[in-house]
Amino acid sequence: MAIQDLNFSTYDPFVLDIPYHRPGAGSRRVPDASSPPGSAHPAPAMASSSALLTGERLVVFLFAARVAHAAPAHLAAPLALLAAAALAVEVAVDRAASDPASPLRRFRTRPGASSGILLGATTLPCVMLARLIQLSRILPTDPNGPEEFAYLEMQYWAVSISCLSVLAFFFWHLCQSTNNGVSKTLKYGSLLVALYLMTFLVFLLKTDGGLLRMGKNAYLLFHGVAAVILIKHILEKFPSCSSFGEALLVSTGLILYFGDMLAHTLSTIQFSASSEALIHTPGIRSEIATVIQGILLGLFVLPLLYKCSLQVWVYCQSLGKQRTQAVVKQAENRIGSGVFYVSLLVALLVLVPSWTHLVGLEVHPFVWILNYMFTNSHGRLALCVYWVCVIYVSIRRFYSISKESTTERILLRKYYHLVAVLIFSPAVIFQPAFLDLAFGAAFAVFLILEMIRVWEVYPLGRTVHQFMNAFTDHRDSDILIISHFSLLLGCALPKWMSSGFNDRPLAPFAGILSLGIGDTMASMIGYKYGVLRWSKTGNKTIEGTAAGITSVLAACSILVSLLASSGYILSQHWLSLSVAVTLSLLLEAYTTQLDNAFIPLVFYSLLCL
């Protein structure tokens, strides 16, 4: 098929409309840990449960209740209403999963996963509320505290409105069903959504009046509308890549992140013209955060730029002379790859510095990175050498094992979790600011490589795909390989969110502890020695969970000693820490969602309390 034959009316750069051949894609399914070798079974489209109370739902409610108990009543009540509405929608979605006439069946979710709506709808609001609780502890002493608290509270409402809007999106689709009318569960869900909206209106009435209120209202409503549009795009363009809960987490997280970028941009522009802004981002944003946001902005704009460039090229080709199919196919690969690389250079060298200059970074971001790397850089360069050695040895060793050995895939993947501990732990202690930049650079490289792999950009596309395919599991689809993204972001997000005020020294280690140690030990011990299972249908064992909890608590005791030698003081009681570890590992035992994405955020939220 030639590029001229593509239907660009429905073309999306992240959808495989470009001529694309996946060598061996989809030909291999990794069996569950409990299955004997060679007994891989296809998973159902969605693991649904007719029971109202499941292990995952119970753990999520305990998590939300723990966060809400530590929060003020006017902030805890909306979280409780949101969790109840999410439960009602999740139960209705799970019950409708077996109905062939259900409108939600148009969205193909990840095989073997439950809907996960309750977990996806409560995770980010709990994270923001936990940050509010943490920030409230310095309000009496910090003169800038009230301003930062007000902005963070607005972000809490923004992510809550995003989650509520997505729940309303699911609710609307369920109401389109022609069978049995509107169920009692949906009636309760609609009542809870209405109560939440009333609570939100009370919050709006407490804010400043006039034009300022209108600006904040528009900002919050923008989050809700954008979240619905984005999750619909994700579910339609990436079939079988995520559950509803995972798509909800990704869409609301991206909208919150780029909404913060929009607020920061508008605040900078408005303050350059007047003394007051409708939306003000308080404090001075670090240059590292500005560089990371700029680079990620350019990479997320890259697919749109690539699509537009390809459309222009196709249009120009249609004006020229018709050529033979062989010539067209040969030119298609070369020119398509050239268009991608040119678009990448434009995004990184033009769009990124344009935005960073707009928000106050006078130096080109890549020049700033070089200056940062080679100014008083002995510790940073030594850390880079250490990282290169660890990554080279681990990849060379584990890749050869994956090709030649019968080692189970689940164990091989957990070895990479241990490698993450070796890579990131020293940096969190000795070079925390540099680690923020390194996380951003690694995420940018992963994004670029995934685009090259999906679009099979010459000459790296097939090579990258063959290498990445050696480490996939049943949660990776035929379109996207997300395991490495989730592991990196699971370790990076707690560290990024702890870059401001942080009186809990273990919070930046939330991802490293929960994934690198807890999840790894739970999987390895449970796989080798586990006998007692948490449920009849699940594969997680009580022995594995106990090993994970014990190993994380032991690692925390060692970290406390290391941090104390660096000047940190543990300000969290061991009972609170034990509750956080236990709830996080219980979630790992019960959830069928992508644990690398959810467990670090849950653990981080509980550590902030």
Side-chain angles (χ1 to χ4, degrees):
M1 180 178 64
I3 286 184
Q4 288 89 336
D5 299 329
L6 296 178
N7 181 9
F8 278 98
S9 61
T10 59
Y11 168 76
D12 187 282
F14 272 108
V15 184
L16 303 185
D17 290 335
I18 295 178
Y20 176 64
H21 303 283
R22 299 281 302 276
S27 61
R28 172 177 43 81
R29 281 290 179 191
V30 180
D32 292 333
S34 59
S35 303
S39 63
H41 300 286
M46 179 185 291
S48 61
S49 174
S50 59
L52 177 63
L53 185 62
T54 62
E56 178 180 322
R57 291 170 185 166
L58 178 61
V59 174
V60 174
F61 263 110
L62 290 175
F63 160 59
R66 174 70 182 95
V67 176
H69 180 265
H74 71 282
L75 295 176
L79 177 62
L81 290 173
L82 181 66
L87 175 62
V89 174
E90 177 175 297
V91 171
V93 169
D94 286 348
R95 288 176 178 173
S98 58
D99 181 10
S102 174
L104 286 176
R105 291 183 68 87
R106 59 179 287 205
F107 303 121
R108 286 186 292 159
T109 56
R110 182 166 60 82
S114 63
S115 63
I117 293 174
L118 175 61
L119 180 59
T122 55
T123 298
L124 282 183
C126 284
V127 170
M128 303 309 298
L129 187 54
R131 283 289 294 160
L132 279 170
I133 296 170
Q134 186 180 37
L135 190 60
S136 66
R137 292 194 283 266
I138 64 163
L139 282 179
T141 58
D142 186 5
N144 297 322
E147 191 178 61
E148 295 182 8
F149 187 89
Y151 178 71
L152 193 59
E153 185 179 12
M154 187 171 67
Q155 285 193 307
Y156 165 68
W157 282 104
V159 73
S160 299
I161 289 296
S162 298
C163 293
L164 187 73
S165 301
V166 174
L167 293 180
F169 169 74
F170 291 140
F171 174 80
W172 181 82
H173 274 80
L174 289 172
C175 289
Q176 306 304 308
S177 177
T178 57
N179 296 336
N180 301 325
V182 179
S183 68
K184 187 179 295 185
T185 305
L186 291 181
K187 292 179 180 178
Y188 287 132
S190 61
L191 176 62
L192 292 166
V193 169
L195 290 175
Y196 189 94
L197 290 175
M198 292 175 60
T199 308
F200 174 63
L201 291 175
V202 172
F203 162 74
L204 291 180
L205 292 175
K206 292 172 58 179
T207 59
D208 299 327
L211 189 60
L212 185 60
R213 181 190 298 177
M214 293 177 58
K216 290 183 177 180
N217 290 354
Y219 177 76
L220 294 174
L221 293 176
F222 158 78
H223 283 75
V225 174
V228 170
I229 295 174
L230 182 57
I231 194 172
K232 183 175 181 292
H233 182 83
I234 290 174
L235 292 173
E236 289 179 344
K237 301 300 183 181
F238 301 96
S240 303
C241 290
S242 68
S243 66
F244 288 132
E246 292 160 359
L248 198 159
L249 179 72
V250 171
S251 59
T252 53
L254 286 175
I255 295 302
L256 181 68
Y257 185 75
F258 287 104
D260 175 68
M261 291 182 61
L262 176 63
H264 182 45
T265 306
L266 293 176
S267 177
T268 304
I269 295 174
Q270 289 170 345
F271 266 98
S272 63
S274 62
S275 59
E276 185 175 359
L278 296 178
I279 300 176
H280 174 46
T281 53
I284 300 175
R285 189 156 304 197
S286 69
E287 293 177 326
I288 291 180
T290 301
V291 170
I292 293 174
Q293 282 191 322
I295 293 176
L296 295 184
L297 174 64
L299 292 180
F300 279 104
V301 172
L302 175 60
L304 179 62
L305 182 62
Y306 180 42
K307 172 183 176 179
C308 295
S309 301
L310 276 180
Q311 287 178 325
V312 171
W313 182 80
V314 169
Y315 175 76
C316 294
Q317 288 295 107
S318 64
L319 299 179
K321 297 181 179 179
Q322 296 295 325
R323 297 175 295 176
T324 63
Q325 185 71 16
V327 174
V328 168
K329 189 171 183 179
Q330 183 180 10
E332 150 191 314
N333 294 330
R334 295 179 180 178
I335 298 180
S337 300
V339 169
F340 172 81
Y341 291 121
V342 171
S343 301
L344 178 63
L345 290 177
V346 171
L348 294 180
L349 300 181
V350 178
L351 298 181
V352 172
S354 298
W355 182 82
T356 55
H357 181 77
L358 182 64
V359 296
L361 185 66
E362 301 296 335
V363 186
H364 193 286
F366 293 105
V367 175
W368 184 92
I369 292 174
L370 292 176
N371 291 335
Y372 180 80
M373 285 292 300
F374 295 101
T375 302
N376 299 323
S377 58
H378 298 292
R380 291 189 285 271
L381 293 179
L383 189 61
C384 288
V385 173
Y386 167 74
W387 284 344
V388 169
C389 293
V390 172
I391 292 173
Y392 174 78
V393 171
S394 60
I395 288 181
R396 184 177 181 126
R397 174 62 177 166
F398 296 152
Y399 185 72
S400 62
I401 292 177
S402 69
K403 303 298 286 186
E404 302 172 2
S405 174
T406 58
T407 303
E408 289 293 338
R409 187 65 58 92
I410 185 175
L411 298 181
L412 182 64
R413 289 168 53 80
K414 297 307 175 182
Y415 292 150
Y416 274 97
H417 287 214
L418 294 176
V419 171
V421 176
L422 294 176
I423 291 175
F424 301 136
S425 295
V428 176
I429 299 175
F430 301 110
Q431 290 286 339
F434 178 54
L435 182 60
D436 288 339
L437 181 63
F439 274 137
F443 185 59
V445 171
F446 280 2
L447 279 175
I448 295 173
L449 290 179
E450 185 66 6
M451 293 177 194
I452 291 175
R453 186 194 68 83
V454 169
W455 293 326
E456 209 176 40
V457 178
Y458 180 83
L460 301 176
R462 290 182 178 272
T463 302
V464 173
H465 171 73
Q466 291 172 358
F467 176 80
M468 297 301 300
N469 196 50
F471 305 103
T472 57
D473 67 2
H474 63 281
R475 292 173 298 187
D476 293 311
S477 71
D478 291 341
I479 300 176
L480 294 178
I481 297 178
I482 59 175
S483 300
H484 54 298
F485 282 105
S486 60
L487 176 60
L488 177 66
L489 288 179
C491 295
L493 287 176
K495 177 62 185 72
W496 282 340
M497 290 185 290
S498 302
S499 297
F501 168 75
N502 178 44
D503 62 345
R504 297 290 190 255
L506 290 178
F509 294 88
I512 300 172
L513 290 171
S514 60
L515 297 182
I517 296 178
D519 183 32
T520 300
M521 295 303 298
S523 297
M524 297 179 72
I525 299 299
Y527 182 83
K528 290 187 174 182
Y529 307 107
V531 176
L532 303 175
R533 300 189 183 276
W534 283 105
S535 64
K536 295 180 180 180
T537 58
N539 301 315
K540 305 299 177 66
T541 63
I542 296 177
E543 294 88 347
T545 302
I549 294 173
T550 305
S551 61
V552 172
L553 290 175
C556 288
S557 64
I558 297 174
L559 269 178
V560 167
S561 303
L562 293 175
L563 293 172
S565 64
S566 302
Y568 291 95
I569 299 175
L570 180 66
S571 57
Q572 193 167 29
H573 297 294
W574 280 98
L575 178 60
S576 176
L577 178 61
S578 300
V579 170
V581 174
T582 302
L583 285 178
S584 302
L585 269 297
L586 284 176
L587 180 63
E588 188 274 337
Y590 277 114
T591 187
T592 57
Q593 305 301 300
L594 191 61
D595 51 2
N596 288 1
F598 286 100
I599 294 175
L601 295 177
V602 170
F603 191 35
Y604 171 81
S605 303
L606 296 171
L607 288 178
C608 288
L609 303 179

